[in-house]
Amino acid sequence: MREPRWFQWVRGVGLCLLTLFTVIPLYVMVTTSVKPLSDVQDTFQWLPSALTLEPYVDMWSTVRLADYFVNSAVVSLGAAAFSVLIALFAAYAISRYRFRGRDAFRFTVLSTQMFPGILFLLPLYLIYATVGQATGIVLQGSHIGLIITYLTFSLPFSIWMLVSYFDSIPVDLDEAAYIDGAGPVQTLWRVVIPAAKPGIAAVSIYAFMTAWGETLFASIMTDSDSTTLAIGLRDYSTQSTVYWNEVMSASLVVSIPVVLGFLALQRYLVQGLTAGAVK
């Protein structure tokens, strides 16, 4: 069936508008990052009067960007690692075993995604304060505390997605491993996990990206020593001025790890997200 001409025009205009909506902010970010500070403090100009790379050099000394980068890397990698590790065992048990409360557990895991993150902010803060007073273990303002916080909303989605992927892997592979003398843990590590690399990659990217750019919990659960990049970028704004060119240059540098990780694992990500959709 041939598409009507009016539909082709509407589609073309819509795609052009969406492209402009995506490209214009990136253009402004890139051009602002190579402008002198005097240019960004005056009336906005689409074309810079001069090009300079000083913002990419000065951004490291204006604020403690390197420390923020390390904090974000530790928290994001830790959240992704623990999320994948815990989700693997939980999803495998749900997918392969039938036990009392299995369906209720699956529903509970999925239903947690309905609640906004701010709903957990005050309870987690009070729990951390209580644990610190009772045991002396400092969770507030620490890396491990922020990792645990991010697990509360990345882990349920990770479990749910890996369950769908494990369901698409034939149970015959498990049974063949059992015949060869492998136990449940050996079957998981030597048979299921190699076949589930796309799903694991998708979960890893999701958990990492969620922690890397999160601001709500990081603004409350961190102190000056554990501040992450998403919160540290606001330090470019002072009482006297805002270093917009350094803000944009830092934002571009901050996005590099996520972009590179996504490009490297994008084929696994697509496979992992669509796994279990068709059986």
Side-chain angles (χ1 to χ4, degrees):
M1 183 177 178
R2 188 175 181 179
E3 296 177 347
R5 183 172 296 275
W6 66 267
F7 179 78
Q8 296 177 1
W9 278 99
V10 171
R11 182 178 60 184
V13 172
L15 291 176
C16 289
L17 291 176
L18 289 175
T19 302
L20 291 175
F21 185 77
T22 304
V23 172
I24 289 178
L26 291 176
Y27 171 79
V28 173
M29 180 180 292
V30 173
T31 55
T32 304
S33 69
V34 293
K35 287 180 179 180
L37 184 60
S38 58
D39 277 11
V40 298
Q41 290 179 335
D42 296 333
T43 305
F44 174 77
Q45 300 177 357
W46 287 100
L47 296 176
S49 61
L51 298 178
T52 177
L53 295 179
E54 290 184 0
Y56 287 92
V57 178
D58 296 339
M59 67 180 186
W60 300 99
S61 57
T62 303
V63 302
R64 297 185 298 114
L65 188 62
D67 295 336
Y68 302 156
F69 200 99
V70 172
N71 291 335
S72 289
V74 171
V75 171
S76 300
L77 291 174
F82 282 109
S83 182
V84 171
L85 182 62
I86 299 173
L88 280 174
F89 288 100
Y92 183 72
I94 296 173
S95 175
R96 291 298 192 261
Y97 297 97
R98 300 296 180 267
F99 52 88
R100 181 177 298 179
R102 173 177 174 270
D103 293 337
F105 180 74
R106 293 187 64 170
F107 175 78
T108 302
V109 168
L110 187 59
S111 63
T112 57
Q113 301 300 298
M114 298 186 300
F115 301 102
I118 195 173
L119 188 66
F120 302 98
L121 182 59
L122 182 58
L124 282 174
Y125 183 86
L126 294 177
I127 290 173
Y128 287 179
T130 303
V131 171
Q133 294 176 357
T135 64
I137 300 176
V138 179
L139 295 177
Q140 170 68 21
S142 66
H143 292 154
I144 187 63
L146 199 56
I147 291 174
I148 295 174
T149 301
Y150 290 155
L151 286 178
T152 59
F153 49 87
S154 66
L155 188 57
F157 179 82
S158 301
I159 294 174
W160 174 74
M161 189 159 59
L162 282 180
V163 167
S164 299
Y165 197 90
F166 286 166
D167 288 342
S168 67
I169 299 177
V171 183
D172 296 342
L173 296 177
D174 299 50
E175 296 176 349
Y178 291 150
I179 293 175
D180 291 338
V185 177
Q186 291 178 319
T187 302
L188 172 62
W189 287 103
R190 296 183 180 181
V191 177
V192 178
I193 289 181
K197 288 181 179 179
I200 297 174
V203 168
S204 302
I205 294 175
Y206 169 79
F208 181 86
M209 292 178 61
T210 301
W212 187 262
E214 200 277 330
T215 58
L216 175 62
F217 289 93
S219 63
I220 304 298
M221 299 294 186
T222 59
D223 55 18
S224 59
D225 294 328
S226 59
T227 301
T228 57
L229 283 169
I231 304 302
L233 290 178
R234 67 186 180 186
D235 291 347
Y236 287 105
S237 175
T238 64
Q239 293 182 352
S240 58
T241 186
V242 179
Y243 298 92
W244 286 113
N245 53 349
E246 296 183 25
V247 171
M248 296 304 174
S249 59
S251 299
L252 289 173
V253 172
V254 165
S255 63
I256 290 177
V258 177
V259 173
L260 292 180
F262 179 82
L263 292 177
L265 301 175
Q266 61 176 338
R267 64 188 184 95
Y268 295 113
L269 179 63
V270 173
Q271 296 177 19
L273 290 175
T274 58
V278 178
K279 293 186 180 180

